[in-house]
């Protein structure tokens, strides 16, 4: 806890400042009536016990973590129509798919946070998974979001691990209603629109320029596909990444986390919307995961999409671009540095491309921001950071 007593450095941007948030909650919980609020927030989070049992069943086949203290968190946006407020987005068919899936890599020492979007239309090998009715599916080659529909979060995690050979340490599932509540709890999120939006399907009509989106508008903005941009899922994922960057900046620049009146609604919305692995299913568990993130500058909160291209047998589906995708996965497995830039080539320039094969084989795991240590140039992937101005 020693780091919490360091003076704030206003010129250094921090990511969400969850450390201060969690400490404030714990402090409130220690005081009489505040304990009731603490227990309510703590009880809001749903532990994903079924997924934990299923993953334990297949523990021997799961990848091994290569770098101690580095963490990989799978964030799954569920398109379930069941539950509070979700029926308005369509008929509840009794199943749900992963509308958005992001693999969040937190480096050892929490120097960087890298969020990798995985296309829902990516063609992948889905293993045999436990269905909700207790039966087991057959292994199949299908779209990525089929895994969540077939076997929920456990099936999605096993599919991601099979695809990337990266150990998923934790997972978080959030639904439509939870997403909206989070945005409303921070009084909306400002984005920059290069063109006006009039999307009847998303019920979204917005002017060009800087616009603050409420929860309902934000959901339409990140989910719309056919009528915004070029209509591709890749364009939609980039829009989602830009929105998350704007959300990071909103929380950083807002006094929500330091204002008890505003703090509780944010915490209530956040915890009520989450289903997590049992280790994260408490305020203390979440705090243990994110306490180091408060010191990550916004320019080191990176967003990118896994290198992909149209599937050779169906232009409406995706496949990985190799060897670029494997290079990315290797960097994440070994906690090696990488950078993102708008319009960058999928892998890197020639100099960076050679960096993964040069050297003694150990330099890949060293951080580029540790002075005095020799490292290879970090490869550059197309993406953006939370520090970028969308209107620039």
């Amino acid at each position: 806890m020693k780091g919490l007593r360091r003076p704030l450095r206003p010129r250094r941007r921090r990511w969400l400042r969850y450390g201060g948030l969690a400490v404030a909650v714990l402090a409130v919980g220690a005081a009489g009536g505040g304990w009731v609020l603490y227990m309510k927030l703590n009880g809001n989070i749903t532990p994903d016990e079924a997924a934990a049992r299923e993953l334990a069943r297949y523990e021997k086949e799961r990848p091994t973590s290569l770098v101690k203290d580095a963490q990989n968190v799978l964030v799954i946006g569920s398109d379930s129509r069941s539950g509070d407020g979700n029926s308005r987005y369509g008929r509840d068919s009794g199943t749900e798919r992963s509308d958005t899936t992001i693999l969040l890599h937190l480096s050892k020492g929490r120097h960087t946070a890298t969020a990798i979007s995985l296309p829902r239309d990516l063609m992948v090998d889905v293993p045999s998974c436990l269905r909700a009715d207790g039966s087991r599916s057959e292994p199949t080659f299908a779209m990525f979001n089929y895994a969540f529909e077939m076997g929920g979060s456990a099936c999605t995690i096993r599919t991601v691990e099979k695809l990337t050979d990266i150990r998923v340490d934790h997972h978080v599932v959030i639904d439509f209603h939870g997403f909206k509540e989070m945005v409303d709890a921070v009084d909306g999120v400002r984005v920059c629109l290069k063109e006006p939006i009039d999307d009847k399907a998303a019920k979204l009509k917005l002017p060009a320029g800087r616009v603050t989106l409420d929860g309902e508008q934000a959901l339409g903005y990140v989910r719309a596909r056919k009528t915004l941009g070029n209509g591709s899922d890749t364009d939609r994922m980039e829009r989602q990444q830009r929105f998350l960057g704007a959300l990071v900046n909103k929380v950083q620049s807002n006094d929500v986390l330091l204002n008890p009146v505003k703090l509780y609604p944010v915490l209530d919305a956040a915890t009520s919307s989450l289903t997590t692995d049992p280790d994260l299913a408490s305020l203390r568990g979440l705090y243990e995961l994110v306490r180091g993130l408060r010191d990550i500058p916004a320019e080191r909160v990176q967003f990118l999409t896994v290198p992909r291209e149209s599937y050779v047998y169906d232009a409406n589906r995706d496949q990985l671009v190799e060897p670029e995708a494997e290079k990315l996965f290797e960097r994440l497995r070994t906690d090696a540095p990488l950078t993102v830039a708008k319009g960058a080539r999928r892998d890197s320039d020639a100099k960076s491309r050679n960096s993964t094969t040069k050297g003694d084989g150990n330099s890949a795991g060293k951080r580029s921001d540790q002075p005095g240590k020799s490292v290879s140039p970090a490869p550059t992937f197309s993406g953006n950071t939370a520090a970028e101005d969308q209107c620039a």
Side-chain angles (χ1 to χ4, degrees):
M1 303 294 286
K2 186 180 297 182
L4 294 177
R5 293 193 290 270
R6 289 182 296 178
L8 296 176
R9 286 169 283 182
R11 287 180 295 179
R12 189 175 186 186
R13 309 182 74 183
R14 290 166 165 76
W15 189 51
L16 299 185
R17 297 182 182 177
Y18 273 122
L21 178 154
V23 170
V25 174
L26 293 175
V28 168
W35 180 251
V36 176
L37 298 181
Y38 173 82
M39 292 303 293
K40 179 182 184 301
L41 295 173
N42 201 62
N44 280 347
I45 308 169
T46 303
D48 199 346
E49 301 285 359
R53 290 192 296 270
E54 179 72 352
L55 292 174
R57 176 188 176 99
Y58 292 96
E59 178 60 36
K60 291 184 178 180
E61 72 177 37
R62 299 183 64 195
T64 301
S65 297
L66 300 181
V67 180
K68 185 179 180 181
D69 295 330
Q71 295 278 299
N72 297 298
V73 183
L74 196 66
V75 181
I76 303 170
S78 165
D79 71 353
S80 172
R81 268 65 172 179
S82 65
D84 187 17
N86 291 330
S87 60
R88 64 180 300 177
Y89 302 106
R91 182 178 59 85
D92 179 13
S93 62
T95 63
E96 54 185 334
R97 288 175 291 185
S98 49
D99 200 55
T100 300
T101 305
I102 294 175
L103 181 62
L104 175 63
H105 176 75
L106 307 175
S107 69
K108 177 181 178 180
R110 302 301 182 261
H111 301 286
T112 61
T114 304
I116 315 294
S117 293
L118 300 173
R120 63 180 187 175
D121 295 340
L122 186 67
M123 299 301 295
V124 298
D125 289 310
V126 180
S128 171
C129 294
L130 180 66
R131 297 187 179 99
D133 64 4
S135 65
R136 290 196 173 270
S137 64
E138 292 295 325
T140 186
F141 184 67
M143 289 170 53
F144 174 66
N145 68 350
Y146 174 79
F148 194 72
E149 178 182 5
M150 181 57 57
S153 53
C155 191
T156 301
I157 291 168
R158 292 179 58 219
T159 300
V160 169
E161 291 183 339
K162 185 178 182 67
L163 178 72
T164 66
D165 200 28
I166 294 170
R167 174 81 176 204
V168 174
D169 302 292
H170 298 289
H171 69 276
V172 175
V173 182
I174 184 170
D175 65 14
F176 291 163
H177 183 70
F179 175 83
K180 292 191 306 175
E181 290 292 304
M182 274 297 300
V183 174
D184 285 334
V186 296
D187 296 327
V189 174
R190 189 173 69 170
V191 297
C192 186
L193 305 178
K194 294 183 178 180
E195 298 178 352
I197 294 177
D198 189 359
D199 188 323
K200 294 182 179 179
K203 300 179 181 179
L204 199 60
K205 188 171 184 178
L206 300 167
R210 297 186 187 274
V211 181
T212 298
L213 306 180
D214 62 22
E216 190 71 37
Q217 293 169 325
L219 182 61
Y221 178 72
V222 300
R223 294 195 67 241
R225 178 175 179 178
K226 296 182 179 179
T227 58
L228 295 184
N230 60 17
S232 70
D233 200 39
T234 298
D235 184 79
R236 187 178 74 147
M237 286 185 293
E238 291 175 352
R239 194 182 326 121
Q240 292 170 349
Q241 292 165 5
R242 290 193 299 270
F243 181 85
L244 290 175
L247 176 59
V248 168
N249 279 324
K250 176 61 181 287
V251 176
Q252 286 181 332
S253 62
N254 202 304
D255 65 346
V256 167
L257 302 184
L258 301 178
N259 186 333
V261 176
K262 294 183 178 181
L263 178 60
Y264 181 79
V266 173
L267 289 174
D268 193 33
T271 54
S272 296
S273 66
L274 299 182
T275 298
T276 76
D277 58 278
D279 287 343
L280 287 186
S282 68
L283 291 176
R284 189 175 296 276
L286 289 173
Y287 170 61
E288 287 300 318
L289 174 69
V290 302
R291 63 180 175 176
L293 300 183
R294 68 187 187 278
D295 289 326
I296 300 180
E299 60 269 20
R300 292 189 183 179
V301 179
Q302 305 177 129
F303 300 93
L304 66 150
T305 300
V306 66
R308 44 73 57 201
E309 63 187 1
S310 294
Y311 180 47
V312 64
Y313 297 114
D314 187 344
N316 294 317
R317 302 290 180 260
D318 291 332
Q319 65 185 24
L320 295 179
V321 173
E322 297 294 3
E324 290 85 348
E326 175 52 32
K327 289 180 181 179
L328 172 61
F329 299 151
E330 182 181 9
R331 307 299 287 191
L332 299 179
R333 282 194 296 269
T334 59
D335 198 35
L338 60 88
T339 58
V340 299
K342 289 182 179 179
R345 295 176 62 177
R346 282 194 181 99
D347 52 352
S348 60
D349 56 27
K351 181 178 179 181
S352 296
R353 188 182 301 116
N354 294 331
S355 70
T356 58
T357 58
K358 289 183 178 181
D360 60 7
N362 295 322
S363 61
K366 298 179 181 178
R367 304 305 312 170
S368 62
D369 47 9
Q370 292 179 339
K373 293 192 176 183
S374 175
V375 295
S376 301
T380 300
F381 294 85
S382 180
N384 60 85
T385 73
E388 294 177 16
D389 185 347
Q390 299 180 32
C391 287

